[in-house]
Amino acid sequence: IVDSDSRCNVDFGGSFFSNKKMISRLIVVLLISLMLMYFILSAQFESFVQPLIVLIEIPIDAAFGLLVLWLCGHTLNLMSCIGIIVSCGIVINDSILKIDAINELRKRGMPIVEAVHTAGQRRLRAIVMTSLTTIGAMVPILFTSDMGSELQQPLAIAMIATMVIGTVVSLFVIPNPNQTKSFRDASRGRRGCIESFRRIFCRRLSY
């Protein structure tokens, strides 16, 4: 009937299509925020490698959160996507504080491995308390059966899963022994970075 009558118009709508648009917009916002975060961290750490060490944690946390959602029988909707993004932001803050403490210890002349261990011990309590507070706030939502609990449970599951794996990664993976070489350049300070840029620029001009 619709094909035969040109006056009729059919369009599909509903929460599925609106959530799909919102998720696509959130992905675009997330990509832009990651770019801005990289530039800000590059200026703060005076290094182009250390921000990558921090940002590499986001795919690990997001993948584990999606895996736990799939195991629990939930899908990626707007609420679970918000939960993953919020949790990644909290965990990234822990990693930034840890790497900043490592850089401060390196400027004092402490060896790399010792600086990593010392910074991990100093930031252990702050990272664990932040994670336990967030996880403890989300646990009651898992056992509620009120109106709207079906929307809140994916949010809680995504946040708990992301915070758990993010805490482990922040404590034991960021940075690992293979990543500690990047702190040697950062310990030289701003003069070392400017000098390295000058050498690279002079080499390009000589070509």
PDB file of all heavy atoms in Angstrom, residues 176-191:
ATOM      1  N   ASN A 176      54.836  -0.701  33.545  1.00  0.00           N
ATOM      2  CA  ASN A 176      55.550  -1.954  33.744  1.00  0.00           C
ATOM      3  C   ASN A 176      57.035  -1.743  33.436  1.00  0.00           C
ATOM      4  O   ASN A 176      57.430  -0.699  32.941  1.00  0.00           O
ATOM      5  CB  ASN A 176      54.957  -3.069  32.869  1.00  0.00           C
ATOM      6  CG  ASN A 176      54.983  -2.730  31.398  1.00  0.00           C
ATOM      7  OD1 ASN A 176      55.898  -2.092  30.914  1.00  0.00           O
ATOM      8  ND2 ASN A 176      53.971  -3.157  30.675  1.00  0.00           N
ATOM      9  N   PRO A 177      57.879  -2.716  33.713  1.00  0.00           N
ATOM     10  CA  PRO A 177      59.326  -2.519  33.486  1.00  0.00           C
ATOM     11  C   PRO A 177      59.694  -2.172  32.051  1.00  0.00           C
ATOM     12  O   PRO A 177      60.694  -1.505  31.812  1.00  0.00           O
ATOM     13  CB  PRO A 177      59.923  -3.869  33.893  1.00  0.00           C
ATOM     14  CG  PRO A 177      58.957  -4.408  34.896  1.00  0.00           C
ATOM     15  CD  PRO A 177      57.604  -3.965  34.416  1.00  0.00           C
ATOM     16  N   ASN A 178      58.885  -2.594  31.071  1.00  0.00           N
ATOM     17  CA  ASN A 178      59.187  -2.278  29.678  1.00  0.00           C
ATOM     18  C   ASN A 178      58.889  -0.826  29.335  1.00  0.00           C
ATOM     19  O   ASN A 178      59.330  -0.326  28.309  1.00  0.00           O
ATOM     20  CB  ASN A 178      58.391  -3.190  28.743  1.00  0.00           C
ATOM     21  CG  ASN A 178      58.816  -4.638  28.878  1.00  0.00           C
ATOM     22  OD1 ASN A 178      59.982  -4.924  29.141  1.00  0.00           O
ATOM     23  ND2 ASN A 178      57.878  -5.551  28.709  1.00  0.00           N
ATOM     24  N   GLN A 179      58.088  -0.152  30.179  1.00  0.00           N
ATOM     25  CA  GLN A 179      57.697   1.228  29.908  1.00  0.00           C
ATOM     26  C   GLN A 179      58.547   2.236  30.664  1.00  0.00           C
ATOM     27  O   GLN A 179      58.381   3.438  30.472  1.00  0.00           O
ATOM     28  CB  GLN A 179      56.230   1.448  30.276  1.00  0.00           C
ATOM     29  CG  GLN A 179      55.273   0.596  29.458  1.00  0.00           C
ATOM     30  CD  GLN A 179      53.873   0.599  30.046  1.00  0.00           C
ATOM     31  OE1 GLN A 179      53.678   0.964  31.192  1.00  0.00           O
ATOM     32  NE2 GLN A 179      52.906   0.196  29.263  1.00  0.00           N
ATOM     33  N   THR A 180      59.430   1.780  31.546  1.00  0.00           N
ATOM     34  CA  THR A 180      60.169   2.717  32.385  1.00  0.00           C
ATOM     35  C   THR A 180      61.234   3.493  31.625  1.00  0.00           C
ATOM     36  O   THR A 180      61.756   4.479  32.135  1.00  0.00           O
ATOM     37  CB  THR A 180      60.846   1.953  33.534  1.00  0.00           C
ATOM     38  OG1 THR A 180      61.633   0.880  32.973  1.00  0.00           O
ATOM     39  CG2 THR A 180      59.812   1.366  34.466  1.00  0.00           C
ATOM     40  N   LYS A 181      61.570   3.076  30.410  1.00  0.00           N
ATOM     41  CA  LYS A 181      62.571   3.804  29.641  1.00  0.00           C
ATOM     42  C   LYS A 181      62.111   5.207  29.281  1.00  0.00           C
ATOM     43  O   LYS A 181      62.914   6.108  29.100  1.00  0.00           O
ATOM     44  CB  LYS A 181      62.910   3.035  28.375  1.00  0.00           C
ATOM     45  CG  LYS A 181      63.601   1.700  28.640  1.00  0.00           C
ATOM     46  CD  LYS A 181      63.929   1.004  27.340  1.00  0.00           C
ATOM     47  CE  LYS A 181      64.613  -0.341  27.593  1.00  0.00           C
ATOM     48  NZ  LYS A 181      64.929  -1.047  26.325  1.00  0.00           N
ATOM     49  N   SER A 182      60.788   5.397  29.161  1.00  0.00           N
ATOM     50  CA  SER A 182      60.283   6.713  28.783  1.00  0.00           C
ATOM     51  C   SER A 182      60.476   7.744  29.876  1.00  0.00           C
ATOM     52  O   SER A 182      60.453   8.941  29.616  1.00  0.00           O
ATOM     53  CB  SER A 182      58.793   6.622  28.431  1.00  0.00           C
ATOM     54  OG  SER A 182      58.050   6.211  29.561  1.00  0.00           O
ATOM     55  N   PHE A 183      60.687   7.308  31.120  1.00  0.00           N
ATOM     56  CA  PHE A 183      60.863   8.248  32.214  1.00  0.00           C
ATOM     57  C   PHE A 183      62.275   8.827  32.256  1.00  0.00           C
ATOM     58  O   PHE A 183      62.521   9.813  32.925  1.00  0.00           O
ATOM     59  CB  PHE A 183      60.560   7.562  33.554  1.00  0.00           C
ATOM     60  CG  PHE A 183      59.114   7.228  33.710  1.00  0.00           C
ATOM     61  CD1 PHE A 183      58.631   5.982  33.357  1.00  0.00           C
ATOM     62  CD2 PHE A 183      58.226   8.162  34.194  1.00  0.00           C
ATOM     63  CE1 PHE A 183      57.300   5.672  33.502  1.00  0.00           C
ATOM     64  CE2 PHE A 183      56.889   7.862  34.338  1.00  0.00           C
ATOM     65  CZ  PHE A 183      56.421   6.615  33.982  1.00  0.00           C
ATOM     66  N   ARG A 184      63.204   8.218  31.537  1.00  0.00           N
ATOM     67  CA  ARG A 184      64.547   8.773  31.503  1.00  0.00           C
ATOM     68  C   ARG A 184      64.561  10.108  30.775  1.00  0.00           C
ATOM     69  O   ARG A 184      65.223  11.058  31.204  1.00  0.00           O
ATOM     70  CB  ARG A 184      65.487   7.785  30.824  1.00  0.00           C
ATOM     71  CG  ARG A 184      65.660   6.497  31.600  1.00  0.00           C
ATOM     72  CD  ARG A 184      66.562   5.538  30.850  1.00  0.00           C
ATOM     73  NE  ARG A 184      66.718   4.293  31.605  1.00  0.00           N
ATOM     74  CZ  ARG A 184      67.377   3.226  31.153  1.00  0.00           C
ATOM     75  NH1 ARG A 184      67.940   3.263  29.950  1.00  0.00           N
ATOM     76  NH2 ARG A 184      67.468   2.142  31.894  1.00  0.00           N
ATOM     77  N   ASP A 185      63.813  10.176  29.667  1.00  0.00           N
ATOM     78  CA  ASP A 185      63.747  11.434  28.927  1.00  0.00           C
ATOM     79  C   ASP A 185      62.972  12.495  29.692  1.00  0.00           C
ATOM     80  O   ASP A 185      63.299  13.679  29.628  1.00  0.00           O
ATOM     81  CB  ASP A 185      63.106  11.210  27.555  1.00  0.00           C
ATOM     82  CG  ASP A 185      63.939  10.279  26.699  1.00  0.00           C
ATOM     83  OD1 ASP A 185      65.165  10.234  26.900  1.00  0.00           O
ATOM     84  OD2 ASP A 185      63.359   9.589  25.838  1.00  0.00           O
ATOM     85  N   ALA A 186      61.918  12.056  30.414  1.00  0.00           N
ATOM     86  CA  ALA A 186      61.112  13.027  31.156  1.00  0.00           C
ATOM     87  C   ALA A 186      61.869  13.614  32.331  1.00  0.00           C
ATOM     88  O   ALA A 186      61.626  14.749  32.734  1.00  0.00           O
ATOM     89  CB  ALA A 186      59.831  12.368  31.649  1.00  0.00           C
ATOM     90  N   SER A 187      62.809  12.843  32.899  1.00  0.00           N
ATOM     91  CA  SER A 187      63.547  13.337  34.057  1.00  0.00           C
ATOM     92  C   SER A 187      64.529  14.433  33.696  1.00  0.00           C
ATOM     93  O   SER A 187      65.033  15.134  34.566  1.00  0.00           O
ATOM     94  CB  SER A 187      64.295  12.176  34.731  1.00  0.00           C
ATOM     95  OG  SER A 187      65.231  11.611  33.828  1.00  0.00           O
ATOM     96  N   ARG A 188      64.845  14.577  32.418  1.00  0.00           N
ATOM     97  CA  ARG A 188      65.771  15.629  32.017  1.00  0.00           C
ATOM     98  C   ARG A 188      65.145  17.013  32.109  1.00  0.00           C
ATOM     99  O   ARG A 188      65.828  18.006  32.128  1.00  0.00           O
ATOM    100  CB  ARG A 188      66.256  15.386  30.592  1.00  0.00           C
ATOM    101  CG  ARG A 188      67.069  14.120  30.450  1.00  0.00           C
ATOM    102  CD  ARG A 188      67.541  13.960  29.023  1.00  0.00           C
ATOM    103  NE  ARG A 188      66.433  13.963  28.091  1.00  0.00           N
ATOM    104  CZ  ARG A 188      66.599  13.933  26.782  1.00  0.00           C
ATOM    105  NH1 ARG A 188      67.805  13.948  26.270  1.00  0.00           N
ATOM    106  NH2 ARG A 188      65.546  13.900  25.990  1.00  0.00           N
ATOM    107  N   GLY A 189      63.810  17.065  32.085  1.00  0.00           N
ATOM    108  CA  GLY A 189      63.122  18.345  32.208  1.00  0.00           C
ATOM    109  C   GLY A 189      62.837  18.971  30.869  1.00  0.00           C
ATOM    110  O   GLY A 189      63.029  18.377  29.815  1.00  0.00           O
ATOM    111  N   ARG A 190      62.410  20.206  30.917  1.00  0.00           N
ATOM    112  CA  ARG A 190      61.995  20.907  29.712  1.00  0.00           C
ATOM    113  C   ARG A 190      63.166  21.189  28.784  1.00  0.00           C
ATOM    114  O   ARG A 190      63.039  21.201  27.575  1.00  0.00           O
ATOM    115  CB  ARG A 190      61.310  22.219  30.114  1.00  0.00           C
ATOM    116  CG  ARG A 190      60.705  22.981  28.950  1.00  0.00           C
ATOM    117  CD  ARG A 190      59.957  24.187  29.448  1.00  0.00           C
ATOM    118  NE  ARG A 190      58.893  23.785  30.341  1.00  0.00           N
ATOM    119  CZ  ARG A 190      58.130  24.655  31.002  1.00  0.00           C
ATOM    120  NH1 ARG A 190      58.345  25.953  30.883  1.00  0.00           N
ATOM    121  NH2 ARG A 190      57.175  24.215  31.792  1.00  0.00           N
ATOM    122  N   ARG A 191      64.344  21.404  29.335  1.00  0.00           N
ATOM    123  CA  ARG A 191      65.496  21.707  28.489  1.00  0.00           C
ATOM    124  C   ARG A 191      65.857  20.517  27.603  1.00  0.00           C
ATOM    125  O   ARG A 191      66.215  20.683  26.434  1.00  0.00           O
ATOM    126  CB  ARG A 191      66.689  22.085  29.351  1.00  0.00           C
ATOM    127  CG  ARG A 191      66.502  23.399  30.113  1.00  0.00           C
ATOM    128  CD  ARG A 191      67.731  23.738  30.909  1.00  0.00           C
ATOM    129  NE  ARG A 191      67.565  24.995  31.627  1.00  0.00           N
ATOM    130  CZ  ARG A 191      68.485  25.510  32.434  1.00  0.00           C
ATOM    131  NH1 ARG A 191      69.633  24.856  32.611  1.00  0.00           N
ATOM    132  NH2 ARG A 191      68.255  26.644  33.050  1.00  0.00           N
TER     133      ARG A 191
END
